[in-house]
Amino acid sequence: PGSTVLAAGPWSVGVIGMTHPTLDVFNPTLPAATESLDTAIIRVAEEMRRDGVDFVIAAVHDGVDAAVSAAGRLEPDPRRMEDLCRAMRGRVDAVLGSHTLQRCVGVLAGVPFV
């Protein structure tokens, strides 16, 4: 399943797993997504909240981009992930990103992100 609810002591934690949002670009034999990543996560998160889940975490196979600084160093560019987090703020409690080698740990658009 694309989501699950786990027990964490007295709390319930909903985990929503999403593949890369443009997987069809990497593999053209796969169908394109029928809804945006944020819309899909919000829909499932709202269902989980209605079911009484205490915390919701979105685990996304996507992450911060890389950019070259003025000094020529490769650095994380979190702008795209900030947009995603902004859309989900108030609906998820944290976002776990992956897929890239760029490290970004902190708060993006009001949502804890790692």
Side-chain angles (χ1 to χ4, degrees):
S3 63
T4 192
V5 178
L6 307 169
W11 300 284
S12 58
V13 179
V15 180
I16 303 167
M18 292 287 174
T19 190
H20 195 278
T22 57
L23 193 59
D24 59 306
V25 172
F26 300 115
N27 184 342
T29 65
L30 297 174
T34 57
E35 64 185 336
S36 68
L37 183 63
D38 59 330
T39 300
I41 292 171
I42 290 167
R43 178 178 46 77
V44 177
E46 288 176 347
E47 290 169 6
M48 288 180 161
R49 297 283 190 201
R50 279 193 298 272
D51 290 342
V53 169
D54 298 305
F55 301 98
V56 177
I57 298 171
V60 182
H61 190 127
D62 195 4
V64 298
D65 297 317
V68 178
S69 72
R73 288 189 298 270
L74 196 60
E75 296 181 350
D77 178 1
R79 289 177 293 182
R80 196 170 50 81
M81 285 294 104
E82 283 177 322
D83 290 343
L84 178 66
C85 288
R86 187 173 295 107
M88 296 186 302
R89 184 175 46 221
R91 294 184 170 103
V92 301
D93 297 293
V95 175
L96 169 63
S98 62
H99 184 73
T100 65
L101 298 177
Q102 297 302 307
R103 182 173 180 236
C104 182
V105 176
V107 177
L108 298 181
V111 179
F113 183 92
V114 62

